[in-house]
Amino acid sequence: MVPHVVVSKCTGCGICVRECPENIIGLIKDKAAILTDLCVECGICAFVCPFVAIVNEVPYGGHDSGMTTYLSKR
Protein backbone atom coordinates (compact mmCIF):
# COMPACT_ATOMS: atom_id res chain seq x y z
CA MET A 1 0.00 0.00 0.00
CA VAL A 2 1.46 3.34 -1.01
CA PRO A 3 1.17 6.17 1.56
CA HIS A 4 -0.59 9.37 0.54
CA VAL A 5 -0.73 12.66 2.45
CA VAL A 6 -4.15 14.22 2.98
CA VAL A 7 -2.90 17.81 2.90
CA SER A 8 -6.04 19.27 4.50
CA LYS A 9 -5.42 17.13 7.61
CA CYS A 10 -1.63 17.56 7.84
CA THR A 11 -0.49 20.02 10.52
CA GLY A 12 3.21 19.78 9.71
CA CYS A 13 4.07 18.35 13.14
CA GLY A 14 6.97 16.36 11.64
CA ILE A 15 6.37 13.09 13.51
CA CYS A 16 6.26 11.14 10.24
CA VAL A 17 9.50 12.81 9.12
CA ARG A 18 11.30 11.69 12.28
CA GLU A 19 9.87 8.15 12.26
CA CYS A 20 10.37 7.24 8.59
CA PRO A 21 13.12 4.57 8.52
CA GLU A 22 13.98 5.40 4.90
CA ASN A 23 14.17 9.19 5.48
CA ILE A 24 12.01 9.90 2.43
CA ILE A 25 9.46 12.19 4.08
CA GLY A 26 10.01 15.92 4.38
CA LEU A 27 8.02 19.08 4.94
CA ILE A 28 7.14 21.37 2.06
CA LYS A 29 5.26 24.53 2.98
CA ASP A 30 4.63 23.01 6.44
CA LYS A 31 2.97 19.89 5.01
CA ALA A 32 4.34 16.34 4.78
CA ALA A 33 5.62 15.21 1.39
CA ILE A 34 6.58 11.61 0.60
CA LEU A 35 8.92 10.41 -2.15
CA THR A 36 6.67 7.49 -3.06
CA ASP A 37 9.09 6.07 -5.64
CA LEU A 38 11.56 5.37 -2.81
CA CYS A 39 8.97 4.19 -0.30
CA VAL A 40 9.29 0.62 1.01
CA GLU A 41 5.61 0.68 2.10
CA CYS A 42 6.31 -0.15 5.75
CA GLY A 43 3.26 1.83 6.96
CA ILE A 44 5.03 3.47 9.89
CA CYS A 45 4.19 7.00 8.71
CA ALA A 46 0.46 6.28 8.65
CA PHE A 47 0.65 4.50 12.00
CA VAL A 48 2.40 7.35 13.83
CA CYS A 49 0.41 10.26 12.36
CA PRO A 50 -1.81 11.57 15.19
CA PHE A 51 -4.01 13.48 12.74
CA VAL A 52 -4.67 10.58 10.34
CA ALA A 53 -3.21 12.72 7.57
CA ILE A 54 -1.35 9.83 5.95
CA VAL A 55 -3.39 7.04 4.43
CA ASN A 56 -2.32 3.94 2.53
CA GLU A 57 -3.68 3.52 -0.97
CA VAL A 58 -3.69 0.48 -3.23
CA PRO A 59 -1.29 1.18 -6.15
CA TYR A 60 -2.00 0.93 -9.87
CA GLY A 61 -5.76 1.34 -9.84
CA GLY A 62 -6.55 -1.62 -7.61
CA HIS A 63 -9.28 -1.68 -5.02
CA ASP A 64 -9.59 -3.00 -1.50
CA SER A 65 -12.56 -5.21 -0.69
CA GLY A 66 -11.96 -5.16 3.06
CA MET A 67 -10.22 -8.50 3.55
CA THR A 68 -8.42 -8.95 0.23
CA THR A 69 -6.68 -6.39 -1.96
CA TYR A 70 -7.22 -6.77 -5.69
CA LEU A 71 -4.89 -5.15 -8.20
CA SER A 72 -5.84 -4.43 -11.76
CA LYS A 73 -3.45 -5.49 -14.52
CA ARG A 74 -3.67 -2.18 -16.34
Side-chain angles (χ1 to χ4, degrees):
M1 301 282 208
V2 179
H4 170 75
V5 178
V6 180
V7 178
S8 62
K9 291 184 177 182
C10 182
T11 64
C13 68
I15 293 173
C16 59
V17 176
R18 289 190 301 272
E19 296 296 325
C20 178
E22 299 296 315
N23 296 313
I24 59 163
I25 304 176
L27 295 178
I28 298 177
K29 295 185 180 180
D30 295 324
K31 302 290 181 179
I34 302 171
L35 296 172
T36 55
D37 289 346
L38 301 176
C39 181
V40 296
E41 301 176 21
C42 67
I44 293 173
C45 56
F47 181 76
V48 300
C49 181
F51 303 100
V52 193
I54 300 178
V55 295
N56 289 315
E57 294 181 338
V58 179
Y60 311 116
H63 65 278
D64 190 351
S65 68
M67 303 269 298
T68 305
T69 301
Y70 296 94
L71 299 176
S72 70
K73 293 184 179 182
R74 292 186 229 179

